[in-house]
Amino acid sequence: MVHVWVGQQVGALAGSGAPAVRGVAAAQDGQAGGGHGGEVSLVLPDLSGVTVLGGMSGRTLLLLGLGVCGLGLVFGLLVYLQLRRLPVHRSMSEVADLIWSTCKAYLTQQGRFLLVLWGFIAAVIVTYYGVLVGLPWGRVAVVIAFSLVGMAGSYSVAWFGIRVNTLANARTAFASLGGKPLPVHQIPMRSGMSIGMVLISLELLIMLIILLFLPADLAGACFIGFAIGESLGAAALRIAGGIFTKIADIGSDLMKIAFKIKEDDARNPGVIADCTGDNAGDSVGPSADGFETYGVTGVALITFVLLGVGDPAVQASLLVWIFVVRAVMVVASALSYLANDAWTRARWTGADRMNFETPLTSLVWLTSIVSMAATYLTTWAVLAPSTTDGLWWKLATIISCGTLAGALIPELVKVFTSTHSKHVREVVKSSRQGGASLTILSGLVAGNFSAFWLGTAIVGLMGGAFLISGLGLEAVMVAPAIFAFGLVAFGFLSMGPVTIAVDSYGPVTDNAQSVYELSTIEEIPGIDDELRREHGVDPQWTRAKLMLEENDGAGNTFKATAKPVLIGTAVVGATTMIFSIVMALTDSLTTGLENLSLLHAPLLLGLITGGAVIFWFTGASIQAVTTGAYRAVEFIRTTIRLDGVTRASEADSRRVVEICTQYAQQGMLTMFLGVFFLTLSFAFVEPFFFIGYLISIAIFGLYQAIFMANAGGAWDNAKKIVEVDLHAKGTALHDATIVGDTVGDPYKDTSSVALNPVIKFTTLFGLLAVELAVSLTTEGRQTLVTTLAAVFFAAALFFVHRSFYGMRIRTSLEDEPEPATGGPAPQGASGRGVPSSSSTSSTTTSALAEQGAGEQR
C-alpha cells in the first residue's frame, strides 16, 4: 500500500537513532544496537528505593509476594490430594480414568504441535533481534528462553486443570448418590479454586522472579518473550480445544435425535470423546487462556509504566504497587472462598434442595467487594507515602472499576444465559411451536441483546476510569487514559482465582453427569447393598440424577459468565499494548500524530480490514467443527451398537477421540498460520494501517465474541430447561432444543472464546512485526518490505482459502445419506446397529480411517 509514507515516517525515526522512549537508559540504547529493539531494551528502575508504611522497601515487600505465591501453589496441591482421597465407586473411577487417559493422549499431541508452532515465532524473534537489530546473541537467547517458559506455563496449568477435573468429576458423581446437594456443589467448587489458585500463583511467581532476580537491563526481553510464549500457548490450546470439544459434543448430541437415546448413553462411542472435549475445551482452553490473560495484562502495564512515566522513582513506585496489589488479590480471593464456603455449609448442610447458582453468585460478589476494599487499603499503604495530589485513591478507584466489572458482567450474562433467564425461557417457548427454526432465532435475539448491554457496561466503566484519569494523572505520565484502561483490565482480573474457579466449575459438573451414566452403576448386581456396606451410602438414584442435571445447568451459566470477562480483558488491555506501538512510531508522541487521524487513509483502511479478519476467523473455526462433526457422526452412526451391549467398546470411543483430535489440529494449524501471516503482512504494509487493524480486531472481536458466547449459552440452557424442568426428553420440543444447542456449541465454545487469545497474540506478535518492518525501512530496504508484505499476504490468503476448501466435507450430494428415522437400528451382518437410511452410504468406516483429517484430493 502506501509505502512512500513509510519512508518519510521512519526517516524521522532514523534521524533520532530509534524510537525514543521514556525510561530507557541511554547506555542501554547503545547496547541494544543503536536503540532498536523497542521494549526488549527497557530497563527497570531500582525497586529497593521505594518505601512503604513502616519503612519497608519495595523489594522486600515483593519478596513477601513470593511467599503468597508459594502458599497459593500449596493450596492447589492440598486440594488435589484431598480430591484423590474422596470416596468413589470403582465403576465411576474407571470411566474417569479412561477420560483422563484420552485427555493425556490429546495433550501430549498438542504439546508436540505447540513446539512446531513455536518454531515460527522463534524464527521471527531470531531474525529481528539477532540479525537486524544486532542484539547480543545471549540477549536473543533470553527472549527465546522466556518465550518457552511462557508457553510451558500455559501448557502446565492446562495439565493440572485436566488432572484435577478428571478426579473431581467421578467424586461429584459419587457424592450425588447420597441425595444431598451440598457435596455436589462443594467438590467442583473446591477443584475450581485449586486450579484458579495454582494458575494465578504460578503466573505471578514467574513474573516476580523476572522482576526481582534478573538483571534490570534484561527484564524487558524476559517479559516480552514470556508474554509472546504464553500467548502462543493459549491461542493454540484455546483454538484446538474449542474445535475438539464441539466436534465431540455435536457428534454425541445428534445421536440422541437419530436413535432416541439418552444424553450420555454408555452405548454411544461419542460420549467419551465428549467428556474428553469438555476438558480439552472447557478446562485446558480457559486455564491456558486465563494464565496468558493475567500475564499479558501485567506485561502491558509494565511496558506502559516504563514508556509513559518519566520519573524513575514514580516508575518504581507504580511497579511495586501493581505487583503488591496482585499478591494481595490472591489472598483476598482465598479468604473470600473460605468465608463463602463456610456460609454455604451453614445454610445448606442437610438440605434436600438448593439453587446451585446462589453460592456461586455470592462468591463472585463477596470476592469483588473484598478485593475492592483490599485495593484501596493496599494502594494507600504503598503509594500514599511517595505520591501527592491523592494519586493513590484515583488509581485504586480506576482498578475498582474493573473489579466491579468482574462482578457486574456475570450478572448481565446470567440475564441472557441462566436457566432462570426470561431470554432462555423465551427460547423454549419459541421451540414449542416453531421447532428448531424459532429456537435458533430466539437464541440469536438473546445474543444480540447481550452484546448491547455488556458493551454498554464495559464502555461505562471504561468511561468512568477515563474521567478519573483526568484528575491530575497527566502530571506524572503521558496518555493517562491509556494507563487507566490498562488498570481496568487489571481490575477485571483482580479476583482471578475466583473467575477461573467458577469457569472450571462447569466442566466438572458436565463430566459428573456423564460419568454417572457411563458407569452404568445402577445396573451392577447388588449395588445397593454394596454401597451401604462399603461406603455407608443409601443410594438415591432419582435424586442423584436430578441434582447432577441441575448442577450442570449452573455450570453452563457460570462457564458463560467467564467468557465476556476474558474477552473484555483482552480488548481493554490491548489498548495499553497498542499504545506502546504508537509510542514507538511517534517518537514518544512528538512526531507523526496526524497519522492517528481518520483523515490518514491507511489508518481508516486498517479499521475496515480488522472486521474482515474477525469474520473469516469465526467462519473458519465453525467450518472445522462442522467437518469434524460430520466425520464423527458418520463413524458413530456406522459403529454404534444398541442391542446386546451395555456400553461402547473402548476402541470405538478412542477412534472418535482420534477423529476429533485430527480435525482440531488441522483446523488450528490452518487458522493459526492465517493469523500469523496476516499479522506479518499488515505490519509490513504500513505502520498506522496496522494500528487501525489492531483497534478494529479488538472492537469487532469484542462484540462478535459476546454475541456468539451468549447466544450459545441461551441455546444450551434452553435444552437444560426442557430436560430438567419440563421432563420432556425424547419429545419434538427436546429435539428442537438439541438442534439449537448444536448450533450454539461452536458459537460459545469455539469461535467466541478463541477470539480472546487471537486478539492478544496478534497485538503482542504485532509489536515485533511492526518494529521489524520499521527497522528494515530505516535501513533503506523499502523494496524488501513491500515484497515481504505481498509474500506474507499471499501466504495468508492460501491459509484463508484452505480454512474452507481444505476442511470441507468431501462427500458428493448424490452419496449423502438420508437422516436417521429414529428408534433402535436394525442389526447388520456385523451385529452393529445401523440406521436403515445409512446402509447405502458409500462412505465406509475403513474409508474414513484411510482418509483422516484435512485430506486433499
Side-chain angles (χ1 to χ4, degrees), residues 212-480:
L212 292 171
F213 300 114
L214 295 180
D217 61 347
L218 279 179
C222 298
F223 280 126
I224 294 300
F226 177 65
I228 290 174
E230 61 182 351
S231 188
L232 167 65
L237 292 172
R238 191 57 136 154
I239 294 170
I243 296 171
F244 183 109
T245 184
K246 294 304 105 179
I247 292 174
D249 200 353
I250 292 171
S252 178
D253 278 354
L254 289 180
M255 294 304 100
K256 293 186 290 186
I257 299 175
F259 295 105
K260 297 299 179 184
I261 57 179
K262 59 187 177 182
E263 174 85 16
D264 295 301
D265 197 302
R267 297 169 297 177
N268 181 355
V271 176
I272 288 293
D274 187 14
C275 294
T276 303
D278 287 337
N279 289 285
D282 294 337
S283 179
V284 169
S287 296
D289 194 358
F291 184 85
E292 177 248 6
T293 298
Y294 197 74
V296 169
T297 304
V299 171
L301 286 172
I302 293 168
T303 302
F304 179 93
V305 169
L306 298 179
L307 291 173
V309 178
D311 186 346
V314 177
Q315 289 179 359
S317 295
L318 290 176
L319 290 178
V320 170
W321 165 68
I322 287 170
F323 279 92
V324 170
V325 169
R326 283 189 156 200
V328 169
M329 292 305 100
V330 174
V331 177
S333 294
L335 294 177
S336 299
Y337 162 71
L338 293 173
N340 190 75
D341 183 60
W343 171 77
T344 303
R345 280 186 280 108
R347 180 171 176 181
W348 280 289
T349 296
D352 293 324
R353 294 294 301 271
M354 70 180 288
N355 182 340
F356 289 103
E357 291 186 12
T358 299
L360 294 170
T361 300
S362 64
L363 174 61
V364 170
W365 276 105
L366 176 62
T367 308
S368 178
I369 293 169
V370 172
S371 295
M372 285 190 283
T375 297
Y376 277 98
L377 182 61
T378 304
T379 306
W380 171 77
V382 175
L383 292 183
S386 59
T387 58
T388 58
D389 298 327
L391 181 65
W392 74 269
W393 70 260
K394 298 168 188 175
L395 294 178
T397 303
I398 292 171
I399 286 186
S400 295
C401 288
T403 307
L404 179 61
L408 182 60
I409 288 176
E411 289 301 312
L412 291 173
V413 170
K414 286 195 291 184
V415 170
F416 301 97
T417 62
S418 170
T419 52
H420 306 287
S421 158
K422 292 182 179 179
H423 281 276
V424 176
R425 292 179 180 273
E426 181 79 3
V427 174
V428 177
K429 293 175 185 177
S430 297
S431 304
R432 193 184 300 277
Q433 295 299 326
S437 297
L438 292 190
T439 301
I440 293 169
L441 290 176
S442 289
L444 295 176
V445 169
N448 281 297
F449 269 78
S450 73
F452 171 81
W453 288 111
L454 268 72
T456 301
I458 292 172
V459 170
L461 293 164
M462 290 179 68
F466 162 70
L467 293 176
I468 297 170
S469 72
L471 301 179
L473 268 66
E474 67 277 1
V476 296
M477 64 184 67
V478 297

Side-chain angles (χ1 to χ4, degrees), residues 724-755:
V724 177
D725 295 353
L726 302 182
H727 306 288
K729 289 183 179 181
T731 64
L733 173 62
H734 190 217
D735 289 350
T737 56
I738 290 173
V739 171
D741 183 36
T742 55
V743 173
D745 278 338
Y747 264 50
K748 64 183 174 65
D749 290 327
T750 306
S751 297
S752 64
V753 294
L755 289 172

